[in-house]
Amino acid sequence: MDVDKHTLRHTRRPNVFGIGDASRLPTSKTAAAIRKQAPLLVENLLAVVEAHAPTAAYHGYTSCPVVTGYDSLVLEEFDCDKTPQETLPFNQAKERTSMLLLKQLGLPALYWHGMLTGRV
Ligand SMILES: Cc1cc2nc3c(=O)[nH]c(=O)nc-3n(C[C@H](O)[C@H](O)[C@H](O)COP(=O)(O)OP(=O)(O)OC[C@H]3O[C@@H](n4cnc5c(N)ncnc54)[C@H](O)[C@@H]3O)c2cc1C
């Protein structure tokens, strides 16, 4: 599916929007990316339904938890230009056990109780 990388609207079929792995957006395909894409898609879809131009813009945010050892992980967050988009208040380029625990314990909870219920 070819969607505009900012508005997430199909480039040839204006009544179609797309997110996720099938959207062919120029960023790494992750659930973390979808978490940012989904609210933007809804905002733009509602704008179009109300005959307004879609103005909410996605900038390619994605996140890859890279396991670097038995007890360490680097939580990468970046956009489609590979520019870091770190959200935590410390250097995320550093390998950390805390980030491994976040992936093992925190992110599944975020997925099941946050994303799937629409809270985050
Ligand atoms: C091994 C692995 C590890 C990952 N780890 C992470 C991670 O740590 N963090 C992260 O953020 N992301 C991670 N990802 C990426 C994340 O899982 C995907 O980006 C995300 O699941 C994509 O969601 P989606 O809804 O776009 O597509 P999918 O989850 O692929 O959903 C598409 C659905 O459509 C169904 N389908 C396909 N064709 C048809 C059809 N013709 N009719 C009806 N249904 C159909 C499929 O069965 C599937 O259920 C990982 C992916 C993999 C493979």
Side-chain angles (χ1 to χ4, degrees):
M1 180 189 291
D2 290 316
V3 299
D4 176 81
K5 67 179 183 180
H6 295 305
T7 63
L8 311 179
R9 191 181 199 179
H10 198 284
T11 51
R12 282 171 285 113
R13 301 187 185 279
N15 59 336
V16 174
F17 287 77
I19 55 173
D21 286 11
S23 64
R24 293 177 48 177
L25 286 161
T27 193
S28 296
K29 296 172 178 61
T30 64
I34 296 168
R35 190 170 68 83
K36 293 288 185 183
Q37 293 160 10
L40 286 169
L41 183 148
V42 171
E43 190 176 335
N44 283 339
L45 185 60
L46 291 176
V48 168
V49 166
E50 292 168 4
H52 301 301
T55 53
Y58 175 62
H59 295 289
Y61 171 90
T62 191
S63 175
C64 299
V66 180
V67 178
T68 55
Y70 287 107
D71 62 356
S72 62
L73 179 143
V74 172
L75 185 65
E76 297 182 357
E77 294 180 288
F78 50 93
D79 63 18
C80 55
D81 299 320
K82 308 287 184 273
T83 305
Q85 298 292 334
E86 297 182 347
T87 55
L88 297 172
F90 48 75
N91 178 10
Q92 289 177 227
K94 191 171 180 296
E95 297 171 273
R96 295 175 191 274
T97 302
S98 58
M99 293 297 97
L100 184 66
L101 294 172
L102 176 71
K103 176 174 171 56
Q104 290 175 333
L105 306 175
L107 295 184
L110 180 75
Y111 175 76
W112 290 109
H113 306 298
M115 288 175 67
L116 293 192
T117 57
R119 293 194 181 105
V120 294

